[in-house]
Amino acid sequence: MAENDNLRVKTCKISACLVQYTRFWLPLHAGQTEKVVFFYDAAFAAKTCRVSCANPNGGSKMNTQPQQKISVQTLTQLAILVAIEVVMKLIGLGSVPVGPLYMSFLTVPIAIGAIVIGPLASMLLGGVFGFVSFMDAIKGASIMTSTLLGVSAVHTFILCFVTRLLMGLCVGLVYGAMAKACKNATANCFVASLSAPLLNTLFFMGYIVLAFYHTDYVQSLVLAKGASNPLMFVILLTGMQGLVEAIVCSVAGTAIGGALLKVTGRMNGHR
């Protein structure tokens, strides 16, 4: 009996690593139930599993329906964020042309995905951003990326798609690190939301400098801006629009992401 209890506790701890903020009931063979509650601290550092059993002989089967519900909920949230990102792009709200660049607000759904779901979701959303950006280059909708596509298709794909994929992943990791280090949910949402446009600009412009800085097209922009070095070129080209992106994304991401965190917390039985 002690060996069975030990096995059940180990199983419970393994499940606790897979399911966060979950409460459910396990049916026992005698028609009784035992309640299993997973507790996580604010930093997600300590994980414990407490088991109170009404039948000392234990049960034989576990109901996996709650895990399925969580999976469906997560997929639904992700699908909605992907749809929002695509619609924002289609109606022109996600990308506003400003000179050779776009003022992009597609980082907002990415930040929200990082906050509500996690880094893999924000990476996928970053990939959606990168895909539509690369399509703009192919269709000629973006002056800069369309021109750079004629210089190098491979480098342009990395510029449009891979840098956004990496940006989405990093935003999710930033939020995860903040959640472990800080108990203030609003501050965590703000930092993650602010990091999205900043990292997007850093990776995108950084790769332009790395791969295209000495091309005729970029050098013409350098001369037009009067930049004396690559850093000054990036600042002069993205200064004002980068500031607007940072303000919009940090405000919207903090407000929406924080509200959704509260809603999902109540859905999972937490206040």
Side-chain angles (χ1 to χ4, degrees):
M1 175 175 162
E3 183 178 353
N4 291 336
D5 289 342
N6 186 37
L7 178 61
R8 293 172 64 206
V9 169
K10 288 183 179 179
T11 303
C12 178
K13 289 183 178 180
I14 293 173
S15 300
C17 295
L18 301 176
V19 184
Q20 295 182 354
Y21 295 105
T22 306
R23 296 184 179 187
F24 59 92
W25 294 87
L26 300 179
L28 300 184
H29 65 276
Q32 300 177 4
T33 57
E34 72 175 6
K35 188 177 182 181
V36 178
V37 185
F38 296 126
F39 294 94
Y40 285 73
D41 64 358
F44 302 101
K47 303 180 182 72
T48 61
C49 181
R50 300 179 183 177
V51 181
S52 59
C53 183
N55 186 343
N57 294 325
S60 58
K61 294 182 179 180
M62 178 179 290
N63 182 8
T64 59
Q65 186 176 1
Q67 287 89 331
Q68 294 174 354
K69 287 183 178 179
I70 289 177
S71 177
V72 170
Q73 176 182 324
T74 300
L75 290 175
T76 301
Q77 292 171 343
L78 182 58
I80 291 173
L81 288 172
V82 170
I84 290 173
E85 199 165 21
V86 173
V87 170
M88 286 177 65
K89 176 63 179 177
L90 292 176
I91 66 176
L93 182 61
S95 301
V96 180
V98 179
L101 295 174
Y102 274 109
M103 183 183 296
S104 179
F105 302 114
L106 295 178
T107 52
V108 175
I110 296 172
I112 294 172
I115 293 168
V116 178
I117 306 176
L120 292 181
S122 57
M123 182 175 69
L124 176 61
L125 291 164
V128 174
F129 180 12
F131 175 77
V132 298
S133 177
F134 188 62
M135 291 304 297
D136 282 344
I138 294 175
K139 295 184 295 184
S142 169
I143 298 174
M144 173 175 280
T145 57
S146 296
T147 304
L148 297 179
L149 183 65
V151 177
S152 172
V154 173
H155 282 306
T156 303
F157 176 79
I158 296 173
L159 174 68
C160 294
F161 183 78
V162 178
T163 59
R164 271 56 184 270
L165 203 68
L166 180 61
M167 176 269 294
L169 175 62
C170 289
V171 173
L173 295 177
V174 166
Y175 178 77
M178 285 295 299
K180 291 180 179 179
C182 179
K183 295 182 179 181
N184 190 316
T186 301
N188 298 340
C189 293
F190 176 79
V191 172
S193 300
L194 181 61
S195 71
L198 294 182
L199 289 173
N200 180 53
T201 300
L202 175 65
F203 292 154
F204 185 82
M205 293 305 302
Y207 197 79
I208 285 180
V209 170
L210 180 66
F212 295 105
Y213 187 73
H214 295 293
T215 61
D216 293 338
Y217 174 71
V218 174
Q219 283 300 308
S220 67
L221 294 176
V222 171
L223 292 175
K225 295 293 182 180
S228 57
N229 54 65
L231 178 60
M232 186 59 64
F233 164 67
V234 172
I235 294 174
L236 292 175
L237 190 65
T238 64
M240 183 55 65
Q241 78 174 59
L243 179 61
V244 174
E245 288 177 1
I247 293 174
V248 172
C249 187
S250 59
V251 172
T254 301
I256 300 172
L260 289 176
L261 274 182
K262 293 180 181 179
V263 171
T264 54
R266 286 196 294 268
M267 290 174 64
N268 291 331
H270 295 267
R271 294 183 181 274

